Amino acid sequence: MKHSNIFAYVELSKFVEGLTLDPNRCRTDLLSLHAYFKIIPSRMFSDELAPEWDDLCNTVTRSGVAYDDEGRVMMNAVKNTIGQMSKGECLEIAERIVLLKQKVDDEF
């Protein structure tokens, strides 16, 4: 079985370090760390964990990009989607990220 790449391990570790599981701060944390959803490609994860990362990324981009009245991008898909999520949804995302990090830890 292919293990997750060290890049995924390191970057996911940094991501988790910045997260809190406090429902009142979770959205803020996810918004400030949103770039991790783009900089960690799923191919850096093991074959077993890549679908979990892909599902997380798909979940936080489901609302798509936000445009202004003139068609200019105001907000990328991750920030737009997280900004529309409830506290509970944000907490669920954070918990899933922490769980994925634990699974990557187990591979090492």
Side-chain angles (χ1 to χ4, degrees):
M1 177 180 116
K2 176 188 130 191
H3 291 292
S4 295
N5 187 296
I6 190 70
F7 176 81
Y9 175 80
V10 170
E11 295 304 316
L12 198 58
S13 296
K14 289 188 247 179
F15 194 178
V16 168
E17 284 177 26
L19 288 177
T20 60
L21 297 180
D22 175 356
N24 295 317
R25 290 195 43 217
C26 203
R27 177 183 291 124
T28 304
D29 292 346
L30 286 171
L31 286 170
S32 68
L33 299 166
H34 77 279
Y36 283 104
F37 289 107
K38 294 294 183 185
I39 64 171
I40 307 172
S42 63
R43 71 179 185 277
M44 296 294 172
F45 290 94
S46 65
D47 294 338
E48 179 181 304
L49 299 180
E52 289 185 47
W53 181 249
D54 282 335
D55 187 56
L56 275 164
C57 291
N58 289 333
T59 300
V60 298
T61 58
R62 69 178 177 225
S63 295
V65 176
Y67 298 96
D68 67 10
D69 294 336
E70 296 175 13
R72 293 180 298 226
V73 174
M74 291 179 12
M75 204 177 313
N76 71 37
V78 177
K79 286 183 83 172
N80 184 37
T81 303
I82 292 170
Q84 295 178 35
M85 290 178 149
S86 68
K87 288 180 183 180
E89 289 173 313
C90 289
L91 181 59
E92 180 185 332
I93 294 296
E95 289 171 343
R96 288 176 61 194
I97 293 166
V98 170
L99 182 60
L100 179 60
K101 164 65 169 64
Q102 291 170 349
K103 291 177 181 179
V104 171
D105 287 350
D106 291 345
E107 289 182 348
F108 282 88

